[in-house]
Amino acid sequence: GAVVSQHPSRVICKSGTSVKIECRSLDFQATTMFWYRQFPKKSLMLMATSNEGSKATYEQGVEKDKFLINHASLTLSTLTVTSAHPEDSSFYICSASAGGNTGELFFGEGSRLTVL
Amino acid sequence: EDKVVQSPLSLVVHEGDTVTLNCSYEVTNFRSLLWYKQEKKAPTFLFMLTSSGIEKKSGRLSSILDKKELFSILNITATQTGDSAVYLCAEYGAQKLVFGQGTRLTINP
């Protein structure tokens, strides 16, 4: 299957700093990428849909100024958590569609963010 | 708003047992239903279902979709300890994937 790489896999930062997470599709072009957040023992919550060359579409309740998403190329999307606070600590997962209209997504390995 | 509900939320069985995981959905513009297995990190893809009544199989795992009743089941036969994981059901509707809460399956030796 298609490969999606996410980096870093783990990051620890101080409160008030910003953290950038990268999501790359390695062997296919992804016009659309999705960012999810997962709390411990909970399911994946869609944060935003990222489309190459245009502004991301955020889900209700997700602060777009807090979670900056950039999809500058067909193989790279980034999520920046700005002015991180301890409540932003979570597991962030990106996924990408290889095309088609059936919803099969390929997931990155996830990034565990801990804000101290 | 699209909604996916899984049951049970948690299940503990003995190795060798057969389990059935349930997923019901309420969506607009349904396109497909997907099953994923999540262990420690990101989910791994199991099945994608688009048509009613056609069973998909992969080894000891199988899944089927009922579009009339809006549900899907995932069966695992002869379970092994390596099957312990969270199983996620997701629906693809309005160009996004909506996940259920997941079923945490634990297989005891």
Side-chain angles (χ1 to χ4, degrees), chain A residues 36 38 43 59 101-103 108, chain B residues 31-32 38 42 92 96-97 100:
Chain A
Y36 290 86
Q38 187 174 35
S43 191
E59 293 299 301
N101 213 20
T102 55
Chain B
R31 290 183 177 163
S32 62
Q38 186 176 26
Y92 183 67
K96 61 183 182 182
L97 208 57

Side-chain angles (χ1 to χ4, degrees), chain A residues 38 44 91 93, chain B residues 36-43 85-86 88:
Chain A
Q38 187 174 35
L44 282 73
F91 191 55
I93 307 176
Chain B
Y36 289 86
K37 177 182 181 181
Q38 186 176 26
E39 295 174 90
K40 292 184 179 177
K41 291 198 172 180
V86 174
L88 296 165

Side-chain angles (χ1 to χ4, degrees), chain A residues 9-116:
Chain A
S9 59
R10 192 175 189 96
V11 57
I12 301 172
C13 69
K14 290 183 178 180
S15 188
T17 60
S18 294
V19 174
K20 180 186 280 189
I21 300 170
E22 292 187 349
C23 179
R24 294 180 184 273
S25 56
L26 298 185
D27 51 359
F28 66 99
Q29 293 185 330
T31 53
T32 304
M33 289 186 174
F34 302 88
W35 287 95
Y36 290 86
R37 180 175 182 177
Q38 187 174 35
F39 292 102
K41 298 188 178 180
K42 298 289 184 183
S43 191
L44 282 73
M45 299 294 296
L46 180 64
M47 297 174 67
T49 302
S50 165
N51 294 298
E52 185 265 338
S54 63
K55 290 184 180 180
T57 302
Y58 290 82
E59 293 299 301
Q60 194 172 11
V62 178
E63 299 175 60
K64 58 183 178 182
D65 295 331
K66 173 80 173 171
F67 300 100
L68 300 179
I69 291 172
N70 183 279
H71 194 156
S73 77
L74 285 170
T75 58
L76 173 64
S77 176
T78 60
L79 167 68
T80 301
V81 182
T82 62
S83 187
H85 289 283
E87 58 265 31
D88 298 325
S89 298
S90 191
F91 191 55
Y92 293 89
I93 307 176
C94 74
S95 64
S97 170
N101 213 20
T102 55
E104 184 176 2
L105 298 183
F106 299 94
F107 285 85
E109 306 95 324
S111 300
R112 186 164 299 285
L113 170 64
T114 302
V115 185
L116 301 176

